[in-house]
Amino acid sequence: MTSPLSAADRQIGDSHDRAKDAGRLRAVAGFARSEAGHAAILGLVGASMITFGGFGSGSVRREDPLLEALHLSWLRFGHGLILSTILVWVGVLLMIAAWVRLGRCTLRGTTTLHELRWVVPAWTAPLLLSVPMFSRDAYSYLAQGALLRDGFDPYAVGPVVNPGILLDNVSNVWTTTTAPYGPVSLLLGQGITSITGDNVIAGTMMLRLTMLPGLALMVWALPRLARQLGGNPAIALWLAVLNPLVLIHLIGGVHNELLMVGLMVAGVTLALDRKHAAGIAIVTLGVAVKAMAGIALPFIVWIWMYHEREKAKAEGREPAAPFALFARTAGAGFAIFAAVFAVCSAVAGVGIGWLTALQGSAKIINWLSLPTMLAHFVTVGTSPFADLRLAPVLEVTRMLCAIALIAILLTVWWRFRSTPRQAVLGILVALVAIVVLSPAALPWYYSWPLAIAAGFAMSTTTLMILVGLSTWLMLVFQPDGSIGLYTLVHVLLATFAAVVAAKSLVTVDPLRLRSAPAVADTWDTHQDAAPVRD
């Protein structure tokens, strides 16, 4: 029999639960009515428009029986394609507008980190249902996974040796290219294609789901990284996660950068938390997805050495000699890296042939990278070298930039060694140098340094520049993955939108379309980011 006291306790507990639920509902309703809430809803609408428009103008399958069965194949041609393209671009612009508006609220401190965390799944959810957007790389991931599934070595042969539906959707430039990704990336592709077979739709959806842990790691790690580096946790989350360049390209485009960047940022954060072994192991998993995460590992050695010296001083011991300390920490770090990477390679049953496949990126030619920009400049019609062909000039500029990159990386690694903050700054500088000086660059590559940069305190002017750059990079590719960089009108429109977005971070009406803008519409462009409420 239930005692009167226990029944009363249950009644009190139920009333407390109801009060909590009512409080949550009031908080949600209050947020929805706020400026930040309006921005969140606007971004959700934009993401939904991108998803619907993508069925016609995205990186769709070359033959799509599902669209035909739904009587929607008309979206891919003629007026249907025009309508789909308009839907996508309007959705992209709405997401950018919502992001900038949310940024103004974050700068003013009128939205909380907790609220921003809830915006992430709201903006992500519609994109989980879209076709691959602004890139066809997802089909390459699946085709490379199918190679491993069917007994081929993806580091020795390209998808062309394994004909089928998956191969039919791979971009022509990558059909003969061996896989440039690590064993974890191949394992994910193998597992997905083993479950879904050659079903492109199911495979793409599952591929997106395997990338979501990277997004979760970024949401967890970036605020912590910002606190450790003296930045603003809310601004870090807004800049590097809610950024349309990140969400649309990495979620909508289904790029393994999302998993790689999440692991890299989480590993660096753990290292700053003095969990050095765990940090190196996590970053190594990132390397096993894509090699670029490895740039953080040499800098983590400096962080580990600094903490060891601090620990020795706190315990009243004399710190070890610099060379001995370096040998010990670097040796331990290398042992952890080798063990984790060896296990990943053994499970996948592959070697390290992917390192030579990294040269495959040289097939990408666009002037987002400095070597290509220089080659175009040299061979342009007004140049005295205009008679030269692009290809041989490009070989020279790439070689010169590669030499410069090696010199910069070595200099940065040695220069930024004094403190943990300097070491993380070194990672940022190194990633920027790699993106700019590598043989090829794509818009989503900028998510690598952006994730690290978000942890530092930045002036509003710096944030405006990053908003403008992110917007421009988001707009210079077409929804189907083709490049818009060589169409002057496209570049000019993207530049105009980028300038407007940058100014909108501090001014509600940068084009002065309103007859009487309110005094509160502007924000001091010279002040640092305001404190944030968790």
Side-chain angles (χ1 to χ4, degrees):
M1 179 180 290
T2 304
S3 67
L5 182 61
S6 62
D9 288 342
R10 281 203 308 275
Q11 275 189 331
I12 293 172
D14 290 343
S15 64
H16 282 194
D17 290 340
R18 286 194 295 270
K20 287 181 179 178
D21 291 339
R24 292 192 190 100
L25 288 174
R26 284 194 297 271
V28 171
F31 176 69
R33 290 192 297 269
S34 68
E35 183 182 358
H38 294 164
I41 295 170
L42 184 65
L44 175 61
V45 172
S48 301
M49 292 180 71
I50 292 170
T51 295
F52 285 113
F55 291 124
S57 64
S59 303
V60 295
R61 296 170 60 184
R62 295 195 168 99
E63 294 182 10
D64 199 325
L66 180 60
L67 282 182
E68 293 174 5
L70 295 174
H71 305 290
L72 294 175
S73 57
W74 60 274
L75 290 172
R76 300 176 58 186
F77 310 100
H79 292 89
L81 177 59
I82 294 173
L83 176 62
S84 299
T85 303
I86 291 172
L87 273 177
V88 170
W89 282 123
V90 171
V92 170
L93 292 175
L94 287 180
M95 281 198 76
I96 292 171
W99 175 59
V100 173
R101 190 175 181 182
L102 203 57
R104 285 201 305 267
C105 297
T106 308
L107 282 170
R108 294 169 181 163
T110 57
T111 188
T112 68
L113 179 61
H114 179 71
E115 290 168 344
L116 291 175
R117 284 192 175 115
W118 279 109
V119 177
V120 175
W123 287 8
T124 301
L127 296 173
L128 294 177
L129 303 175
S130 73
V131 303
M133 298 298 303
F134 295 90
S135 171
R136 303 187 68 85
D137 282 4
Y139 304 127
S140 295
Y141 299 159
L142 293 174
Q144 289 159 1
L147 285 175
L148 194 61
R149 176 198 67 186
D150 296 337
F152 297 97
D153 182 356
Y155 297 153
V157 297
V160 70
V161 303
N162 197 22
I165 296 175
L166 295 179
L167 174 64
D168 294 342
N169 290 283
V170 176
S171 296
N172 294 333
V173 70
W174 302 125
T175 55
T176 59
T177 305
T178 56
Y181 307 115
V184 167
S185 185
L186 292 181
L187 279 171
L188 292 176
Q190 179 193 35
I192 290 168
T193 53
S194 296
I195 295 171
T196 63
D198 287 350
N199 188 313
V200 178
I201 296 173
T204 301
M205 295 300 178
M206 286 197 66
L207 192 59
R208 274 205 182 96
L209 295 179
T210 63
M211 303 301 167
L212 287 181
L215 184 67
L217 285 171
M218 290 177 71
V219 172
W220 170 80
L222 280 170
R224 297 174 67 90
L225 183 67
R227 292 188 183 99
Q228 291 161 332
L229 298 176
N232 185 314
I235 287 177
L237 190 68
W238 165 78
L239 179 63
V241 176
L242 288 169
N243 192 324
L245 176 67
V246 174
L247 289 183
I248 297 174
H249 273 303
L250 300 193
I251 296 291
V254 204
H255 289 290
N256 56 16
E257 261 89 358
L258 183 61
L259 190 55
M260 182 270 284
V261 171
L263 289 166
M264 178 180 67
V265 173
V268 171
T269 303
L270 287 172
L272 291 174
D273 278 341
R274 298 174 184 269
K275 300 173 183 177
H276 311 101
I280 290 174
I282 295 297
V283 173
T284 303
L285 288 177
V287 177
V289 174
K290 193 165 184 174
M292 209 49 60
I295 201 67
L297 292 173
F299 293 92
I300 290 179
V301 172
W302 297 138
I303 296 173
W304 197 346
M305 288 179 62
Y306 182 88
H307 288 159
E308 287 295 319
R309 285 194 295 266
E310 277 195 330
K311 182 180 178 181
K313 291 176 182 178
E315 294 174 353
R317 297 184 287 107
E318 183 68 24
F323 182 79
L325 185 57
F326 175 80
R328 188 167 71 236
T329 52
F334 180 78
I336 295 168
F337 168 80
V340 173
F341 200 85
V343 169
C344 294
S345 299
V347 173
V350 294
I352 58 173
W354 62 302
L355 295 177
T356 59
L358 293 175
Q359 299 174 0
S361 63
K363 294 182 178 182
I364 302 171
I365 298 177
N366 67 62
W367 54 268
L368 283 181
S369 69
L370 185 60
T372 308
M373 189 184 300
L374 292 174
H376 279 311
F377 179 76
V378 169
T379 57
V380 75
T382 57
S383 167
F385 305 100
D387 291 336
L388 295 176
R389 295 178 58 192
L390 179 65
V393 175
L394 192 57
E395 287 184 12
V396 175
T397 56
R398 283 177 169 174
M399 180 188 66
L400 293 176
C401 287
I403 295 171
L405 178 59
I406 293 171
I408 290 172
L409 292 180
L410 291 174
T411 302
V412 168
W413 178 69
W414 183 253
R415 168 68 179 78
F416 292 91
R417 70 185 189 277
S418 300
T419 66
R421 189 179 186 280
Q422 271 202 356
V424 179
L425 184 58
I427 297 173
L428 171 59
V429 175
L431 288 172
V432 171
I434 290 170
V435 172
V436 173
L437 294 172
S438 289
L442 293 165
W444 50 91
Y445 288 9
Y446 286 81
S447 65
W448 313 340
L450 188 65
I452 299 296
F456 291 93
M458 287 177 274
S459 68
T460 309
T461 302
T462 302
L463 290 173
M464 289 175 64
I465 293 171
L466 292 177
V467 165
L469 178 61
S470 297
T471 299
W472 189 84
L473 289 167
M474 181 64 248
L475 297 176
V476 292
F477 266 47
Q478 299 282 4
D480 64 356
S482 59
I483 301 173
L485 286 165
Y486 295 95
T487 304
L488 181 60
V489 174
H490 191 136
V491 174
L492 291 176
L493 288 174
T495 304
F496 173 76
V499 173
V500 172
K503 290 186 175 182
S504 296
L505 186 64
V506 295
T507 306
V508 172
D509 186 23
L511 298 179
R512 299 187 178 182
L513 299 177
R514 298 182 182 182
S515 56
V519 175
D521 281 353
T522 58
W523 181 251
D524 185 357
T525 60
H526 299 291
Q527 70 179 43
D528 288 340
V532 69
R533 297 176 289 122
D534 286 348

